[in-house]
Amino acid sequence: MSTKPDMIQKCLWLEILMGIFIAGTLSLDCNLLNVHLRRVTWQNLRHLSSMSNSFPVECLRENIAFELPQEFLQYTQPMKRDIKKAFYEMSLQAFNIFSQHTFKYWKERHLKQIQIGLDQQAEYLNQCLEEDKNENEDMKEMKENEMKPSEARVPQLSSLELRRYFHRIDNFLKEKKYSDCAWEIVRVEIRRCLYYFYKFTALFRRK
Amino acid sequence: MLLSQNAFIFRSLNLVLMVYISLVFGISYDSPDYTDESCTFKISLRNFRSILSWELKNHSIVPTHYTLLYTIMSKPEDLKVVKNCANTTRSFCDLTDEWRSTHEAYVTVLEGFSGNTTLFSCSHNFWLAIDMSFEPPEFEIVGFTNHINVMVKFPSIVEEELQFDLSLVIEEQSEGIVKKHKPEIKGNMSGNFTYIIDKLIPNTNYCVSVYLEHSDEQAVIKSPLKCTLLPPGQESAWPFPNLPPLEAMDMVEVIYINRKKKVWDYNYDDESDSDTEAAPRTSGGGYTMHGLTVRPLGQASATSTESQLIDPESEEEPDLPEVDVELPTMPKDSPQQLELLSGPCERRKSPLQDPFPEEDYSSTEGSGGRITFNVDLNSVFLRVLDDEDSDDLEAPLMLSSHLEEMVDPEDPDNVQSNHLLASGEGTQPTFPSPSSEGLWSEDAPSDQSDTSESDVDLGDGYIMR
């Protein structure tokens, strides 16, 4: 019984620290978060590139088209919120893929950094989305009244399409039994996808 | 028994074999390289052309010609030969027309031949956003007095897809200080682009280097420096250099010394000014010397002092033979660059101020007082109006612009005359007359004298330092 107040005290300290941390991250402005996001994303791209020294030519015959959703490729002026949502989804899915398997020949350090980086990406995006949500609730009514027919036809990025895309990647890995060639191909594909989103982060900057 | 022993041996051997096989495979899996890296590749953007160059690690292999193939990784496609780089003797290839996307990953295969024999085949995976290095563009510089025109030459036509997230950086170096300029380029980096680096110091050497910076990448390739010595500033016709606008002024106390033909007896009735630097000097020879000790009040670090020199002679003191102006030692840490005014007199024509009205100096002549006013020593134009004692000592006194060496009042022998020149009679002043007008005030109070003085022993009406 005497240990109870000690435990409570320890928990209290931990909670206080966590609270400060959460408050600290929550208090970050979305613009600043975007700067962090951009930097973290670029670091992840670098890690993905340096994970492998060379690509074996024989792996080319196993290459397939994963068909990244065309919605991403065709966007010129996407809705910020849709892109952020899709980016968040993509970060989580990529994290899941890389968490599935450890690679003997891939550098552990790079893999761990990628996982941490993807997690950070998701965190930043989540916070920004929360912030946007609160702001947009007021704007929503105004926008609905102003929306023209042409705008209604603009396709919105579908989270479902993105999940299907990552499902294809996951299936590919399983079919190829997580072979080295399969991992090489997946690494390059996820890097390609991430680069599209990296380019979109330039649009996140508010004016 | 035998069977069990055999079984045991058999199982042991099996185990050893399994361990051995797994070790072999494990080591082979741990090998980071799929293919031996016999080639070193480099892709760089040169004048906005993508140039892939390669080099063999093993220099003993000398192929006669090369063939480059590539494919993309976003969808399964066969390797295709780059047309301009099939059976080429060069060790580089222009891929501007082939590799047009920064999103795509390109797998290249380089084959080296000697005759019909394939000597080697090496491959590499390129991703332009990371692997591309950017060579600096060509540029020219033209130096002017206070600015440099930097003309950067970009190619006139740039492929749209090859637009990386680049920014141009112009570095300006001078005397160990490096400044970076990041001009904003609207639209594509095409055609010639001119940037002006202004607010530079004339007659100074500047070196310029340009390079392209790619978003978050840190590695850059800087161009070789191009240096220029800027021409000096326009010199005025006036023999003395132009003065900058007078922004700070030194408060100068002019201590008028009125001496008669006798040895000054250091008779101070009150306290002497504690700031007095001039040491009293006896005027030997039995003649009267008038000394104007000019010294700055406080620690002003003005580059010039403005003055209105009071005519120390007045009608009321007809027996003033000469005027001696001596500059006391300036603080060493604040050298006063005295420059001449070439323009019209801009000095304040405020009436003489007597900041020490309470002080009562008595002099042997009965006139006293210390007057403080701003003295522009560069344009001090002393006219010695000595109507009585000297014959025609109407000589303008010119202060040169290099008044770094001040006469040490404690060193009366230091009378270098290169600072203060007194032209003798008949010498025409080279100063414009307005400056003299501004300087001279004939309304010098007659009751000035200064009990502290520093004199130079002059002779023949020349005023020397």
Side-chain angles (χ1 to χ4, degrees), chain B residues 146-148 172 179 196-202 206 230:
Chain B
N146 59 355
H147 66 276
I148 292 174
E172 157 217 330
K179 281 187 200 167
I196 298 172
I197 305 173
D198 56 2
K199 296 175 190 170
L200 300 179
I201 304 167
Y206 283 91
L230 300 188

Side-chain angles (χ1 to χ4, degrees), chain A residues 50-56 58-59 103-107 179-181 184, chain B residues 22-37:
Chain A
S50 54
M51 269 177 93
S52 175
N53 289 332
S54 66
F55 185 80
E58 51 269 20
C59 290
F103 317 99
K104 277 179 276 190
Y105 54 92
W106 281 19
K107 293 171 188 171
S179 65
D180 305 333
C181 279
E184 275 295 316
Chain B
S22 63
L23 274 173
V24 166
F25 278 110
I27 285 166
S28 67
Y29 271 140
D30 283 337
S31 167
D33 297 327
Y34 287 100
T35 58
D36 49 335
E37 289 281 343

Side-chain angles (χ1 to χ4, degrees), chain B residues 320-333:
Chain B
L320 301 176
E322 292 162 345
V323 175
D324 171 26
V325 175
E326 186 173 356
L327 296 170
T329 306
M330 297 294 190
K332 294 275 188 295
D333 55 345

